[in-house]
Amino acid sequence: MQRVFALVRAHRAGPSVSSTLGSTWSHSRFNPMSSTQQVAQNRFFSRQSTEHEKMKILFFGSDSFSVPHLEALIAEKNKPGSIIGRIDVVSPKERTKKSKRDAEDSPLTLLAKSHGLNTFPSPDRKSGMEAWTFPEDKEVDAWDFGVVVSFGWFLPNDAISRFKKAGINVHPSLLPKYRGSAPLQRAILNQDKTTGVTVQLLDPNEFDAGKILAQAEMAMPDNPTYRTLELLLATKGGELVVDVIKNYDERRRDAKTQDPTKVTKANKISREDCKAQWQRWTAARTERLYRANGFRYPITTSWGKVGEAGHSVSLLDLFCVDHQPSMPGADLGYDGEAPSKHTLPGTLFFHRSSETLHVACSNGTLLGVKALQFEGKKQVSAKDFCNGYHVKSGISRFE
C-alpha cells in the first residue's frame, strides 16, 4: 500500500519524479505511458530546460581588436553542448572613403551578419550615449552577459544593471597597468618585455577600473607592430572571455580588486605627437613610434626649399640603420659624403646600395626610410623622392 501511495505522489509530481521509481511500476494503471513514451517525455523536458538555461550574450564592439573575440564566442556557441545559446551584437557603421556622408558595415557587423546574428547600432558620434536606445528584442527578456570589447563608449550603470549576470570587458594590458585607450601603443613605445590581456567587470564609474576576473601574461614578441600585437592579444582575449563565461561563478568568486597604487595611464597618441623631432628623438625612438602608431598616424616631417614654407610629408616603412662610423676612403654606399656622429639631425643621405633614404637623428643615430608620401599625392619610393625633389645627399634636410 505504501508503494502505491508513493507512485500516486510521483505521478502527480510529474515525469521527472516517477522516472526514478524504476521499471517495475512503469506499466501500472497509475502511469498509463509506456516506457518508451516516458523516456521521450523526459528527454523533451530535459532539452527544454537546457535550452532555457543557455546563456544569452549581447556583444559590444567596434574595431579589429573586437573581431577575434566575437569569433571565439561564435565558435564556442556552435560547439555541441555549449552553454551559449544566443549572441546579439552592437556595432557601428563605418565611414566610406567615397563619401563622408555614406556609411557601410564594419568588419564586426559583417562577421555578425555572416553568422546570422542580430545587430543593433551603437551610439552615433554626434548624438552620443544620451540619444542612444538600449537594444530590445521580443525574444529576449534580458541578456545574461554584456561583453564589451573596444567599444569606445562608457556604459552607464543603468545599462550594466540590465544584464542578469554581469557586464564584462576585455582590455589589452595587465591591469591596472595601462588604463586608457592606447595600451598597445604605450607597451611598444616603452619597450615592455611582457604584455597581456585582462577580463574585468565593467565599473559603473570609471573606465578600466573593474574587478579582475581573468588575466593572461605573455612575453612581448620581437619588434612588434600595433597590428601584430593586437592580433596576439585579441586571440588570447577571445580564449579568456569564453573561459570566464563558462566558469563565471568561480571567476566572480575569485575576482581581484585592482591596486590603485599601481595604476598607470595609456593616453591616446595624437597626430601632433607623430611629428618628427630630429633634434630630440633617436632613430630607435622614432622607429618604435612608427611601429606603435603608424597604422593610424605615420611619422611626418616638413620638406621644402630654404626660405620657403615646408610641406608635410609622411615617412613610411621605417627601420633603424646599423650605422658604422665612416673610415677614410671607405665606400659605404652613399652618394657623396657619408653621415657621422657630428651630422646635424634632420640631414638626408641617399644610400645608393639599398636605394633608401637615411635621416640623421639625435645621438648620431640613423633612421632608414623606404617610402614617402605628400598629402594628397601617391606614395613614392625613397629613390624617386630623391630624384624628383633633387635631394642633395649630406646637404638637404628635413625640418
Side-chain angles (χ1 to χ4, degrees):
M1 192 65 177
Q2 290 178 343
R3 296 182 68 185
V4 173
F5 285 138
L7 182 57
V8 171
R9 287 195 299 269
H11 177 67
R12 289 173 178 172
S16 62
V17 177
S18 62
S19 62
T20 64
L21 296 177
S23 59
T24 305
W25 294 89
S26 62
H27 297 285
S28 165
R29 59 189 179 92
F30 296 105
N31 188 357
M33 287 189 295
S34 68
S35 59
T36 302
Q37 291 173 318
Q38 186 70 50
V39 170
Q41 188 183 62
N42 288 345
R43 287 176 177 173
F44 171 78
F45 281 109
S46 176
R47 183 170 61 252
Q48 190 178 51
S49 175
T50 302
E51 292 295 329
H52 179 71
E53 293 170 1
K54 283 181 176 289
M55 298 294 106
K56 295 182 285 291
I57 295 171
L58 186 58
F59 186 92
F60 298 79
S62 63
D63 59 16
S64 53
F65 182 71
S66 59
V67 170
H69 294 83
L70 181 58
E71 289 176 333
L73 289 169
I74 292 172
E76 179 62 30
K77 173 181 176 291
N78 292 336
K79 290 180 180 179
S82 172
I83 67 165
I84 300 176
R86 180 189 180 104
I87 304 173
D88 299 289
V89 178
V90 179
S91 60
K93 293 283 188 178
E94 286 193 345
R95 298 298 177 189
T96 63
K97 295 181 179 179
K98 296 180 180 178
S99 172
K100 292 182 179 180
R101 291 177 296 179
D102 295 333
E104 60 187 8
D105 287 337
S106 66
L108 184 69
T109 304
L110 291 173
L111 172 64
K113 288 183 175 180
S114 70
H115 288 273
L117 307 182
N118 286 344
T119 59
F120 301 94
S122 60
D124 182 76
R125 290 183 180 181
K126 292 183 178 180
S127 304
M129 286 293 293
E130 293 76 12
W132 181 67
T133 303
F134 193 89
E136 293 183 359
D137 192 293
K138 294 180 179 179
E139 297 180 2
V140 180
D141 56 342
W143 284 274
D144 297 284
F145 288 98
V147 177
V148 181
V149 184
S150 196
F151 184 51
W153 294 94
F154 185 81
L155 286 187
N157 191 50
D158 62 344
I160 299 173
S161 61
R162 290 172 181 254
F163 305 117
K164 290 181 179 179
K165 285 187 172 289
I168 61 177
N169 165 254
V170 182
H171 187 75
S173 81
L174 296 172
L175 289 173
K177 186 176 184 179
Y178 295 145
R179 288 185 184 178
S181 59
L184 302 182
Q185 293 94 317
R186 296 298 174 181
I188 294 172
L189 264 180
N190 295 338
Q191 305 180 75
D192 288 357
K193 300 301 181 184
T194 60
T195 184
V197 63
T198 302
V199 179
Q200 61 174 329
L201 288 171
L202 287 176
D203 186 274
N205 301 309
E206 187 179 359
F207 272 120
D208 305 327
K211 287 189 174 183
I212 296 173
L213 298 168
Q215 200 166 63
E217 182 176 357
M218 60 192 74
M220 180 73 80
D222 293 334
N223 300 315
T225 65
Y226 176 89
R227 292 302 183 195
T228 58
L229 189 57
E230 177 190 54
L231 180 58
L232 176 69
L233 296 185
T235 302
K236 177 57 67 174
E239 296 173 5
L240 278 189
V241 78
V242 168
D243 171 78
V244 167
I245 288 173
K246 292 173 65 176
N247 303 284
Y248 177 71
D249 291 341
E250 180 182 351
R251 300 291 177 262
R252 181 68 181 86
R253 183 194 65 208
D254 298 334
K256 298 179 180 178
T257 301
Q258 295 186 36
D259 185 347
T261 65
K262 296 182 179 180
V263 172
T264 59
K265 296 292 186 179
N267 297 326
K268 186 180 293 186
I269 300 173
S270 69
R271 189 186 300 273
E272 188 70 20
D273 294 331
C274 294
K275 291 183 178 179
Q277 300 182 41
W278 305 117
Q279 297 279 356
R280 295 178 53 198
W281 295 354
T282 64
R285 199 274 182 194
T286 309
E287 189 267 345
R288 285 200 306 276
L289 179 59
Y290 175 73
R291 285 191 283 112
N293 211 56
F295 76 101
R296 178 171 286 131
Y297 301 128
I299 303 299
T300 59
T301 189
S302 181
W303 164 259
K305 295 180 180 180
V306 177
E308 295 182 2
H311 298 279
S312 179
V313 59
S314 298
L315 310 181
L316 309 172
D317 295 337
L318 308 185
F319 61 97
C320 291
V321 178
D322 185 13
H323 175 52
Q324 299 293 330
S326 60
M327 300 295 292
D331 183 5
L332 299 180
Y334 290 100
D335 281 351
E337 182 182 352
S340 72
K341 63 179 181 179
H342 301 297
T343 300
L344 187 65
T347 304
L348 308 183
F349 297 85
F350 181 67
H351 192 250
R352 183 178 63 256
S353 302
S354 62
E355 296 189 345
T356 58
L357 185 66
H358 293 178
V359 187
C361 300
S362 174
N363 293 342
T365 57
L366 282 176
L367 178 72
V369 182
K370 295 182 180 180
L372 303 91
Q373 186 172 16
F374 286 95
E375 188 174 352
K377 295 187 177 182
K378 292 183 178 180
Q379 178 177 315
V380 297
S381 67
K383 180 180 179 180
D384 289 343
F385 169 77
C386 290
N387 290 335
Y389 290 90
H390 309 291
V391 172
K392 297 180 180 180
S393 186
I395 299 174
S396 299
R397 294 181 62 242
F398 283 143
E399 296 298 330

